[in-house]
mmCIF file of all heavy atoms in Angstrom:
data_model
loop_
_atom_site.group_PDB
_atom_site.id
_atom_site.type_symbol
_atom_site.label_atom_id
_atom_site.label_comp_id
_atom_site.label_asym_id
_atom_site.label_seq_id
_atom_site.Cartn_x
_atom_site.Cartn_y
_atom_site.Cartn_z
ATOM 1 N N VAL A 258 10.172 -13.328 -6.402
ATOM 2 C CA VAL A 258 10.484 -12.769 -5.070
ATOM 3 C C VAL A 258 11.876 -12.109 -5.089
ATOM 4 O O VAL A 258 12.075 -10.993 -4.585
ATOM 5 C CB VAL A 258 10.431 -13.857 -3.974
ATOM 6 C CG1 VAL A 258 10.850 -13.271 -2.626
ATOM 7 C CG2 VAL A 258 9.030 -14.431 -3.877
ATOM 8 N N VAL A 259 12.840 -12.802 -5.718
ATOM 9 C CA VAL A 259 14.214 -12.270 -5.780
ATOM 10 C C VAL A 259 14.218 -10.951 -6.571
ATOM 11 O O VAL A 259 14.865 -9.982 -6.152
ATOM 12 C CB VAL A 259 15.151 -13.291 -6.478
ATOM 13 C CG1 VAL A 259 16.495 -12.659 -6.751
ATOM 14 C CG2 VAL A 259 15.326 -14.512 -5.576
ATOM 15 N N THR A 260 13.481 -10.930 -7.698
ATOM 16 C CA THR A 260 13.418 -9.688 -8.472
ATOM 17 C C THR A 260 12.821 -8.539 -7.705
ATOM 18 O O THR A 260 13.341 -7.412 -7.730
ATOM 19 C CB THR A 260 12.578 -9.951 -9.757
ATOM 20 O OG1 THR A 260 13.177 -10.975 -10.551
ATOM 21 C CG2 THR A 260 12.481 -8.665 -10.599
ATOM 22 N N ALA A 261 11.735 -8.809 -6.976
ATOM 23 C CA ALA A 261 11.104 -7.749 -6.184
ATOM 24 C C ALA A 261 11.995 -7.230 -5.083
ATOM 25 O O ALA A 261 12.105 -6.036 -4.819
ATOM 26 C CB ALA A 261 9.793 -8.279 -5.576
ATOM 27 N N ILE A 262 12.707 -8.168 -4.421
ATOM 28 C CA ILE A 262 13.638 -7.770 -3.329
ATOM 29 C C ILE A 262 14.790 -6.958 -3.884
ATOM 30 O O ILE A 262 15.207 -5.957 -3.275
ATOM 31 C CB ILE A 262 14.111 -9.006 -2.575
ATOM 32 C CG1 ILE A 262 12.952 -9.658 -1.805
ATOM 33 C CG2 ILE A 262 15.236 -8.641 -1.611
ATOM 34 C CD1 ILE A 262 13.312 -10.927 -1.108
ATOM 35 N N ASN A 263 15.327 -7.393 -5.035
ATOM 36 C CA ASN A 263 16.420 -6.642 -5.658
ATOM 37 C C ASN A 263 16.004 -5.218 -6.001
ATOM 38 O O ASN A 263 16.767 -4.236 -5.846
ATOM 39 C CB ASN A 263 16.924 -7.348 -6.913
ATOM 40 C CG ASN A 263 17.731 -8.581 -6.586
ATOM 41 O OD1 ASN A 263 18.304 -8.716 -5.507
ATOM 42 N ND2 ASN A 263 17.817 -9.512 -7.513
ATOM 43 N N SER A 264 14.754 -5.065 -6.443
ATOM 44 C CA SER A 264 14.210 -3.756 -6.768
ATOM 45 C C SER A 264 14.138 -2.871 -5.485
ATOM 46 O O SER A 264 14.472 -1.698 -5.515
ATOM 47 C CB SER A 264 12.854 -3.867 -7.419
ATOM 48 O OG SER A 264 12.281 -2.609 -7.666
ATOM 49 N N ILE A 265 13.683 -3.486 -4.399
ATOM 50 C CA ILE A 265 13.557 -2.748 -3.128
ATOM 51 C C ILE A 265 14.935 -2.344 -2.659
ATOM 52 O O ILE A 265 15.124 -1.203 -2.171
ATOM 53 C CB ILE A 265 12.853 -3.651 -2.078
ATOM 54 C CG1 ILE A 265 11.388 -3.892 -2.486
ATOM 55 C CG2 ILE A 265 12.927 -2.992 -0.698
ATOM 56 C CD1 ILE A 265 10.659 -4.851 -1.592
ATOM 57 N N VAL A 266 15.914 -3.260 -2.779
ATOM 58 C CA VAL A 266 17.294 -2.963 -2.324
ATOM 59 C C VAL A 266 17.858 -1.790 -3.156
ATOM 60 O O VAL A 266 18.504 -0.892 -2.614
ATOM 61 C CB VAL A 266 18.175 -4.216 -2.444
ATOM 62 C CG1 VAL A 266 19.632 -3.844 -2.233
ATOM 63 C CG2 VAL A 266 17.728 -5.266 -1.462
ATOM 64 N N ALA A 267 17.591 -1.820 -4.489
ATOM 65 C CA ALA A 267 18.096 -0.737 -5.358
ATOM 66 C C ALA A 267 17.473 0.572 -4.963
ATOM 67 O O ALA A 267 18.160 1.613 -4.873
ATOM 68 C CB ALA A 267 17.768 -1.083 -6.801
ATOM 69 N N ASP A 268 16.181 0.579 -4.707
ATOM 70 C CA ASP A 268 15.503 1.815 -4.277
ATOM 71 C C ASP A 268 16.059 2.301 -2.945
ATOM 72 O O ASP A 268 16.220 3.523 -2.737
ATOM 73 C CB ASP A 268 14.006 1.590 -4.149
ATOM 74 C CG ASP A 268 13.311 1.364 -5.504
ATOM 75 O OD1 ASP A 268 13.945 1.725 -6.521
ATOM 76 O OD2 ASP A 268 12.217 0.819 -5.538
ATOM 77 N N ARG A 269 16.346 1.406 -2.036
ATOM 78 C CA ARG A 269 16.894 1.759 -0.734
ATOM 79 C C ARG A 269 18.260 2.405 -0.907
ATOM 80 O O ARG A 269 18.580 3.377 -0.224
ATOM 81 C CB ARG A 269 16.984 0.504 0.144
ATOM 82 C CG ARG A 269 17.553 0.734 1.523
ATOM 83 C CD ARG A 269 17.668 -0.567 2.278
ATOM 84 N NE ARG A 269 18.274 -0.391 3.577
ATOM 85 C CZ ARG A 269 19.566 -0.327 3.786
ATOM 86 N NH1 ARG A 269 20.391 -0.388 2.742
ATOM 87 N NH2 ARG A 269 20.052 -0.170 4.994
ATOM 88 N N ALA A 270 19.079 1.859 -1.838
ATOM 89 C CA ALA A 270 20.401 2.413 -2.076
ATOM 90 C C ALA A 270 20.286 3.851 -2.600
ATOM 91 O O ALA A 270 21.028 4.762 -2.211
ATOM 92 C CB ALA A 270 21.149 1.538 -3.060
ATOM 93 N N LYS A 271 19.361 4.066 -3.548
ATOM 94 C CA LYS A 271 19.129 5.414 -4.060
ATOM 95 C C LYS A 271 18.703 6.394 -2.951
ATOM 96 O O LYS A 271 19.146 7.530 -2.917
ATOM 97 C CB LYS A 271 18.059 5.375 -5.172
ATOM 98 C CG LYS A 271 18.490 4.612 -6.443
ATOM 99 C CD LYS A 271 17.362 4.570 -7.424
ATOM 100 C CE LYS A 271 17.753 3.815 -8.670
ATOM 101 N NZ LYS A 271 16.654 3.744 -9.660
ATOM 102 N N PHE A 272 17.848 5.903 -2.073
ATOM 103 C CA PHE A 272 17.365 6.742 -0.982
ATOM 104 C C PHE A 272 18.499 7.126 -0.039
ATOM 105 O O PHE A 272 18.597 8.248 0.415
ATOM 106 C CB PHE A 272 16.269 5.991 -0.208
ATOM 107 C CG PHE A 272 15.454 6.838 0.722
ATOM 108 C CD1 PHE A 272 14.661 7.851 0.222
ATOM 109 C CD2 PHE A 272 15.546 6.647 2.104
ATOM 110 C CE1 PHE A 272 13.935 8.674 1.081
ATOM 111 C CE2 PHE A 272 14.822 7.432 2.948
ATOM 112 C CZ PHE A 272 14.012 8.457 2.451
ATOM 113 N N ALA A 273 19.389 6.125 0.212
ATOM 114 C CA ALA A 273 20.528 6.398 1.081
ATOM 115 C C ALA A 273 21.443 7.426 0.457
ATOM 116 O O ALA A 273 21.937 8.368 1.132
ATOM 117 C CB ALA A 273 21.284 5.086 1.338
ATOM 118 N N GLN A 274 21.718 7.300 -0.831
ATOM 119 C CA GLN A 274 22.581 8.244 -1.513
ATOM 120 C C GLN A 274 21.950 9.654 -1.546
ATOM 121 O O GLN A 274 22.633 10.662 -1.430
ATOM 122 C CB GLN A 274 22.873 7.754 -2.941
ATOM 123 C CG GLN A 274 23.728 6.468 -2.949
ATOM 124 C CD GLN A 274 23.910 5.883 -4.341
ATOM 125 O OE1 GLN A 274 23.102 6.142 -5.219
ATOM 126 N NE2 GLN A 274 24.954 5.069 -4.510
ATOM 127 N N ALA A 275 20.633 9.723 -1.728
ATOM 128 C CA ALA A 275 19.933 11.002 -1.727
ATOM 129 C C ALA A 275 20.053 11.684 -0.357
ATOM 130 O O ALA A 275 20.012 12.916 -0.252
ATOM 131 C CB ALA A 275 18.472 10.822 -2.078
ATOM 132 N N ALA A 276 20.213 10.872 0.698
ATOM 133 C CA ALA A 276 20.354 11.409 2.065
ATOM 134 C C ALA A 276 21.811 11.745 2.363
ATOM 135 O O ALA A 276 22.121 12.068 3.507
ATOM 136 C CB ALA A 276 19.801 10.400 3.077
ATOM 137 N N GLY A 277 22.682 11.610 1.357
ATOM 138 C CA GLY A 277 24.093 11.930 1.568
ATOM 139 C C GLY A 277 24.909 10.804 2.144
ATOM 140 O O GLY A 277 26.008 11.041 2.658
ATOM 141 N N LEU A 278 24.402 9.582 2.073
ATOM 142 C CA LEU A 278 25.110 8.428 2.631
ATOM 143 C C LEU A 278 25.560 7.484 1.505
ATOM 144 O O LEU A 278 25.215 7.679 0.337
ATOM 145 C CB LEU A 278 24.212 7.671 3.614
ATOM 146 C CG LEU A 278 23.631 8.492 4.746
ATOM 147 C CD1 LEU A 278 22.656 7.648 5.565
ATOM 148 C CD2 LEU A 278 24.733 9.019 5.654
ATOM 149 N N THR A 279 26.303 6.472 1.861
ATOM 150 C CA THR A 279 26.682 5.475 0.866
ATOM 151 C C THR A 279 25.541 4.518 0.627
ATOM 152 O O THR A 279 24.607 4.422 1.419
ATOM 153 C CB THR A 279 27.915 4.688 1.359
ATOM 154 O OG1 THR A 279 27.552 3.935 2.562
ATOM 155 C CG2 THR A 279 29.051 5.603 1.677
ATOM 156 N N ALA A 280 25.615 3.786 -0.480
ATOM 157 C CA ALA A 280 24.555 2.861 -0.819
ATOM 158 C C ALA A 280 24.418 1.752 0.185
ATOM 159 O O ALA A 280 23.343 1.169 0.342
ATOM 160 C CB ALA A 280 24.813 2.251 -2.218
ATOM 161 N N ALA A 281 25.501 1.463 0.913
ATOM 162 C CA ALA A 281 25.495 0.363 1.905
ATOM 163 C C ALA A 281 25.116 0.825 3.291
ATOM 164 O O ALA A 281 25.258 0.088 4.268
ATOM 165 C CB ALA A 281 26.850 -0.313 1.922
ATOM 166 N N ALA A 282 24.647 2.075 3.427
ATOM 167 C CA ALA A 282 24.296 2.622 4.742
ATOM 168 C C ALA A 282 23.222 1.777 5.411
ATOM 169 O O ALA A 282 22.298 1.231 4.761
ATOM 170 C CB ALA A 282 23.861 4.061 4.611
ATOM 171 N N LYS A 283 23.265 1.673 6.733
ATOM 172 C CA LYS A 283 22.285 0.935 7.484
ATOM 173 C C LYS A 283 20.975 1.729 7.560
ATOM 174 O O LYS A 283 20.948 2.944 7.394
ATOM 175 C CB LYS A 283 22.799 0.649 8.876
ATOM 176 C CG LYS A 283 24.024 -0.249 8.915
ATOM 177 C CD LYS A 283 24.475 -0.499 10.342
ATOM 178 C CE LYS A 283 25.694 -1.409 10.394
ATOM 179 N NZ LYS A 283 26.154 -1.642 11.784
ATOM 180 N N SER A 284 19.880 0.995 7.838
ATOM 181 C CA SER A 284 18.572 1.643 7.898
ATOM 182 C C SER A 284 18.536 2.715 8.941
ATOM 183 O O SER A 284 17.963 3.797 8.710
ATOM 184 C CB SER A 284 17.497 0.577 8.204
ATOM 185 O OG SER A 284 17.441 -0.406 7.180
ATOM 186 N N ASP A 285 19.113 2.477 10.128
ATOM 187 C CA ASP A 285 19.090 3.461 11.198
ATOM 188 C C ASP A 285 19.834 4.763 10.747
ATOM 189 O O ASP A 285 19.427 5.859 11.081
ATOM 190 C CB ASP A 285 19.762 2.935 12.452
ATOM 191 C CG ASP A 285 18.925 1.815 13.097
ATOM 192 O OD1 ASP A 285 17.725 1.744 12.752
ATOM 193 O OD2 ASP A 285 19.476 1.051 13.912
ATOM 194 N N GLU A 286 20.940 4.572 10.016
ATOM 195 C CA GLU A 286 21.675 5.749 9.537
ATOM 196 C C GLU A 286 20.858 6.543 8.545
ATOM 197 O O GLU A 286 20.912 7.794 8.538
ATOM 198 C CB GLU A 286 22.981 5.259 8.881
ATOM 199 C CG GLU A 286 23.954 4.583 9.877
ATOM 200 C CD GLU A 286 25.177 3.995 9.179
ATOM 201 O OE1 GLU A 286 25.104 3.789 7.938
ATOM 202 O OE2 GLU A 286 26.171 3.764 9.861
ATOM 203 N N ILE A 287 20.132 5.859 7.660
ATOM 204 C CA ILE A 287 19.285 6.543 6.674
ATOM 205 C C ILE A 287 18.189 7.349 7.387
ATOM 206 O O ILE A 287 17.949 8.499 7.063
ATOM 207 C CB ILE A 287 18.666 5.543 5.691
ATOM 208 C CG1 ILE A 287 19.730 4.836 4.894
ATOM 209 C CG2 ILE A 287 17.687 6.224 4.757
ATOM 210 C CD1 ILE A 287 19.232 3.741 4.001
ATOM 211 N N VAL A 288 17.561 6.732 8.376
ATOM 212 C CA VAL A 288 16.491 7.397 9.128
ATOM 213 C C VAL A 288 17.040 8.638 9.832
ATOM 214 O O VAL A 288 16.431 9.736 9.790
ATOM 215 C CB VAL A 288 15.857 6.428 10.147
ATOM 216 C CG1 VAL A 288 14.900 7.184 11.090
ATOM 217 C CG2 VAL A 288 15.109 5.321 9.455
ATOM 218 N N THR A 289 18.219 8.517 10.452
ATOM 219 C CA THR A 289 18.829 9.654 11.177
ATOM 220 C C THR A 289 19.151 10.789 10.192
ATOM 221 O O THR A 289 18.892 11.962 10.522
ATOM 222 C CB THR A 289 20.124 9.204 11.864
ATOM 223 O OG1 THR A 289 19.803 8.174 12.825
ATOM 224 C CG2 THR A 289 20.769 10.373 12.617
ATOM 225 N N ALA A 290 19.677 10.437 9.041
ATOM 226 C CA ALA A 290 20.022 11.460 8.044
ATOM 227 C C ALA A 290 18.796 12.181 7.528
ATOM 228 O O ALA A 290 18.805 13.417 7.388
ATOM 229 C CB ALA A 290 20.763 10.810 6.879
ATOM 230 N N VAL A 291 17.716 11.448 7.296
ATOM 231 C CA VAL A 291 16.468 12.050 6.822
ATOM 232 C C VAL A 291 15.895 12.964 7.885
ATOM 233 O O VAL A 291 15.420 14.091 7.613
ATOM 234 C CB VAL A 291 15.475 10.978 6.421
ATOM 235 C CG1 VAL A 291 14.112 11.605 6.128
ATOM 236 C CG2 VAL A 291 15.972 10.202 5.221
ATOM 237 N N GLN A 292 15.904 12.528 9.152
ATOM 238 C CA GLN A 292 15.388 13.377 10.243
ATOM 239 C C GLN A 292 16.188 14.655 10.400
ATOM 240 O O GLN A 292 15.637 15.723 10.626
ATOM 241 C CB GLN A 292 15.421 12.587 11.552
ATOM 242 C CG GLN A 292 14.360 11.431 11.593
ATOM 243 C CD GLN A 292 14.497 10.609 12.870
ATOM 244 O OE1 GLN A 292 15.525 10.599 13.521
ATOM 245 N NE2 GLN A 292 13.434 9.893 13.175
ATOM 246 N N SER A 293 17.518 14.551 10.234
ATOM 247 C CA SER A 293 18.345 15.717 10.303
ATOM 248 C C SER A 293 18.051 16.712 9.193
ATOM 249 O O SER A 293 18.006 17.923 9.387
ATOM 250 C CB SER A 293 19.848 15.326 10.277
ATOM 251 O OG SER A 293 20.162 14.519 11.370
ATOM 252 N N ALA A 294 17.819 16.144 7.996
ATOM 253 C CA ALA A 294 17.511 17.006 6.836
ATOM 254 C C ALA A 294 16.196 17.725 7.049
ATOM 255 O O ALA A 294 16.044 18.900 6.715
ATOM 256 C CB ALA A 294 17.464 16.149 5.575
ATOM 257 N N VAL A 295 15.209 17.004 7.619
ATOM 258 C CA VAL A 295 13.918 17.616 7.874
ATOM 259 C C VAL A 295 14.008 18.715 8.908
ATOM 260 O O VAL A 295 13.460 19.819 8.765
ATOM 261 C CB VAL A 295 12.885 16.554 8.339
ATOM 262 C CG1 VAL A 295 11.598 17.213 8.802
ATOM 263 C CG2 VAL A 295 12.588 15.596 7.199
ATOM 264 N N ALA A 296 14.826 18.457 9.975
ATOM 265 C CA ALA A 296 15.006 19.477 11.015
ATOM 266 C C ALA A 296 15.737 20.685 10.448
ATOM 267 O O ALA A 296 15.420 21.828 10.780
ATOM 268 C CB ALA A 296 15.818 18.866 12.194
ATOM 269 N N GLY A 297 16.731 20.466 9.588
ATOM 270 C CA GLY A 297 17.454 21.564 8.967
ATOM 271 C C GLY A 297 16.614 22.385 8.042
ATOM 272 O O GLY A 297 16.932 23.563 7.752
ATOM 273 N N ALA A 298 15.537 21.809 7.526
ATOM 274 C CA ALA A 298 14.695 22.549 6.586
ATOM 275 C C ALA A 298 13.783 23.522 7.306
ATOM 276 O O ALA A 298 13.135 24.363 6.653
ATOM 277 C CB ALA A 298 13.878 21.553 5.789
ATOM 278 N N LYS A 299 13.690 23.455 8.655
ATOM 279 C CA LYS A 299 12.797 24.369 9.395
ATOM 280 C C LYS A 299 13.441 25.771 9.445
ATOM 281 O O LYS A 299 14.627 25.912 9.698
ATOM 282 C CB LYS A 299 12.595 23.859 10.807
ATOM 283 C CG LYS A 299 11.802 22.536 10.847
ATOM 284 C CD LYS A 299 11.563 22.078 12.284
ATOM 285 C CE LYS A 299 10.791 20.785 12.308
ATOM 286 N NZ LYS A 299 10.593 20.298 13.687
ATOM 287 N N PRO A 300 12.687 26.828 9.223
ATOM 288 C CA PRO A 300 13.244 28.202 9.230
ATOM 289 C C PRO A 300 13.644 28.633 10.616
ATOM 290 O O PRO A 300 13.083 28.216 11.608
ATOM 291 C CB PRO A 300 12.080 29.044 8.687
ATOM 292 C CG PRO A 300 10.850 28.258 9.037
ATOM 293 C CD PRO A 300 11.228 26.822 8.909
ATOM 294 N N ASP A 301 14.690 29.487 10.667
ATOM 295 C CA ASP A 301 15.165 30.040 11.940
ATOM 296 C C ASP A 301 14.221 31.126 12.379
ATOM 297 O O ASP A 301 14.037 32.124 11.698
ATOM 298 C CB ASP A 301 16.573 30.617 11.724
ATOM 299 C CG ASP A 301 17.193 31.102 13.035
ATOM 300 O OD1 ASP A 301 16.469 31.157 14.038
ATOM 301 O OD2 ASP A 301 18.389 31.394 13.033
ATOM 302 N N PRO A 302 13.543 30.969 13.538
ATOM 303 C CA PRO A 302 12.542 31.972 13.994
ATOM 304 C C PRO A 302 13.157 33.338 14.282
ATOM 305 O O PRO A 302 12.448 34.339 14.310
ATOM 306 C CB PRO A 302 11.963 31.343 15.252
ATOM 307 C CG PRO A 302 12.992 30.379 15.735
ATOM 308 C CD PRO A 302 13.652 29.850 14.493
ATOM 309 N N THR A 303 14.515 33.397 14.428
ATOM 310 C CA THR A 303 15.132 34.700 14.685
ATOM 311 C C THR A 303 15.388 35.430 13.361
ATOM 312 O O THR A 303 15.733 36.633 13.405
ATOM 313 C CB THR A 303 16.495 34.507 15.415
ATOM 314 O OG1 THR A 303 17.358 33.749 14.560
ATOM 315 C CG2 THR A 303 16.263 33.758 16.716
ATOM 316 N N LYS A 304 15.249 34.766 12.254
ATOM 317 C CA LYS A 304 15.519 35.364 10.953
ATOM 318 C C LYS A 304 14.298 35.437 10.036
ATOM 319 O O LYS A 304 14.275 36.209 9.090
ATOM 320 C CB LYS A 304 16.628 34.603 10.227
ATOM 321 C CG LYS A 304 17.953 34.597 10.980
ATOM 322 C CD LYS A 304 18.996 33.779 10.193
ATOM 323 C CE LYS A 304 20.359 33.750 10.941
ATOM 324 N NZ LYS A 304 21.363 32.967 10.242
ATOM 325 N N PHE A 305 13.322 34.611 10.304
ATOM 326 C CA PHE A 305 12.135 34.542 9.417
ATOM 327 C C PHE A 305 10.862 34.707 10.213
ATOM 328 O O PHE A 305 10.775 34.274 11.362
ATOM 329 C CB PHE A 305 12.126 33.211 8.639
ATOM 330 C CG PHE A 305 13.333 32.984 7.795
ATOM 331 C CD1 PHE A 305 14.389 32.231 8.270
ATOM 332 C CD2 PHE A 305 13.438 33.517 6.538
ATOM 333 C CE1 PHE A 305 15.534 31.994 7.514
ATOM 334 C CE2 PHE A 305 14.567 33.320 5.753
ATOM 335 C CZ PHE A 305 15.626 32.550 6.254
#
Side-chain angles (χ1 to χ4, degrees):
V258 176
V259 171
T260 299
I262 292 176
N263 286 337
S264 177
I265 293 173
V266 171
D268 291 342
R269 180 182 176 279
K271 293 178 182 178
F272 193 65
Q274 292 173 340
L278 304 174
T279 64
K283 297 180 180 179
S284 299
D285 292 342
E286 295 173 341
I287 297 175
V288 171
T289 300
V291 172
Q292 289 176 339
S293 298
V295 172
K299 294 181 179 179
D301 185 349
T303 63
K304 299 179 180 179
F305 301 96

